Amino acid sequence: LIVGSIPLQFAILNWLKFEKKKPHPMAILGLIIGMLGIGLISWEKASWSNTLVILGLLTANFAWTTGSLVIRVSQTKLSFFSRASIQMTVGGSILLILSPLMGERAVEWGHLPLAGILSVLYLALAVTVLAYTCYSYLLRTVAPEITSTYALVNPLLAVIFGVIYLNEPITSKVILSSLLIVTSVALVIYGPKLMKSSKVLAFVQCFKIGPTK
């Protein structure tokens, strides 16, 4: 739920600090609806008792959002692939330093199952290299609030995969939250364009109350 607030942070930080562009009201409405959908999915499993975890997530959200917006406004000539590689190299190095300090056990290389190896390869190539390269490209080419909608879609994908591969039940809560998230993404992407449509403007004009000429 906390990570799901990233799109709102994108819109607000970009407006107040970086590009100074006020997000479209339809985009803000869509982001709020998306957070409601995420909240509906995760509320029963959410825990607010661990203050350090919450502070850590909030700090990570802020750092991720700020770093993404810095990349967006920077004038670097590095390719999208190079930027993703730097990010992964720095992040991986930090994790290698922190993991023994946090007491994580060493990997037993001789006992790694094939499924585990294939999973790591998939995460490294598809989810990391490909996904972050696409993310870097989107940061420079589309509005930040559109790029950040991945944080709304990820929980929905997790629910869908849970239903497909783990036989998790499809409840009314899952259906409602899915509809909210899909609606939110649609509003963020198409809402501003929709509001400029002549048919929509004519419809809105019908509800305006004022003196007639």
Side-chain angles (χ1 to χ4, degrees):
L1 182 57
I2 295 175
V3 176
S5 67
I6 283 180
L8 276 179
Q9 293 184 32
F10 260 95
I12 293 172
L13 275 177
N14 192 53
W15 173 26
L16 298 179
K17 180 65 178 178
F18 290 90
E19 295 179 316
K20 309 293 184 180
K21 292 182 180 179
K22 185 177 181 180
H24 196 280
M26 292 296 287
I28 294 295
L29 175 62
L31 296 177
I32 293 174
I33 292 175
M35 285 193 63
L36 291 175
I38 293 176
L40 192 60
I41 289 177
S42 59
W43 187 257
E44 290 182 357
K45 298 180 180 180
S47 174
W48 302 95
S49 59
N50 197 327
T51 305
L52 288 178
V53 172
I54 295 173
L55 290 176
L57 285 173
L58 291 174
T59 303
N61 282 2
F62 180 78
W64 173 261
T65 304
T66 303
S68 296
L69 291 173
V70 167
I71 290 176
R72 176 177 174 83
V73 301
S74 68
Q75 300 300 320
T76 179
K77 296 182 180 180
L78 291 174
S79 66
F80 303 115
F81 183 78
S82 298
R83 287 201 290 269
S85 300
I86 293 172
Q87 182 186 39
M88 292 298 98
T89 301
V90 173
S93 300
I94 293 174
L95 290 176
L96 281 176
I97 296 172
L98 290 179
S99 60
L101 298 178
M102 299 296 292
E104 294 188 2
R105 63 180 183 179
V107 177
E108 298 179 3
W109 298 103
H111 298 84
L112 290 179
L114 178 60
I117 296 174
L118 294 177
S119 298
V120 171
L121 288 176
Y122 170 74
L123 290 173
L125 297 177
V127 179
T128 301
V129 176
L130 179 60
Y132 281 115
T133 302
C134 295
Y135 181 73
S136 296
Y137 171 77
L138 290 173
L139 274 176
R140 298 297 295 271
T141 55
V142 301
E145 53 267 26
I146 295 178
T147 306
S148 64
T149 53
Y150 78 89
L152 302 176
V153 176
N154 282 350
L156 176 60
L157 292 177
V159 171
I160 293 174
F161 289 144
V163 171
I164 295 175
Y165 296 107
L166 300 177
N167 296 319
E168 294 184 353
I170 302 177
T171 63
S172 57
K173 184 182 70 172
V174 169
I175 295 174
L176 178 58
S177 60
S178 301
L179 290 175
L180 287 173
I181 292 173
V182 171
T183 301
S184 73
V185 175
L187 284 174
V188 171
I189 297 176
Y190 301 109
K193 297 179 181 179
L194 185 63
M195 290 303 294
K196 295 179 182 179
S197 170
S198 57
K199 293 182 179 179
V200 174
L201 290 175
F203 177 78
V204 173
Q205 191 69 27
C206 295
F207 294 91
K208 287 188 175 181
I209 300 175
T212 56
K213 295 183 179 180

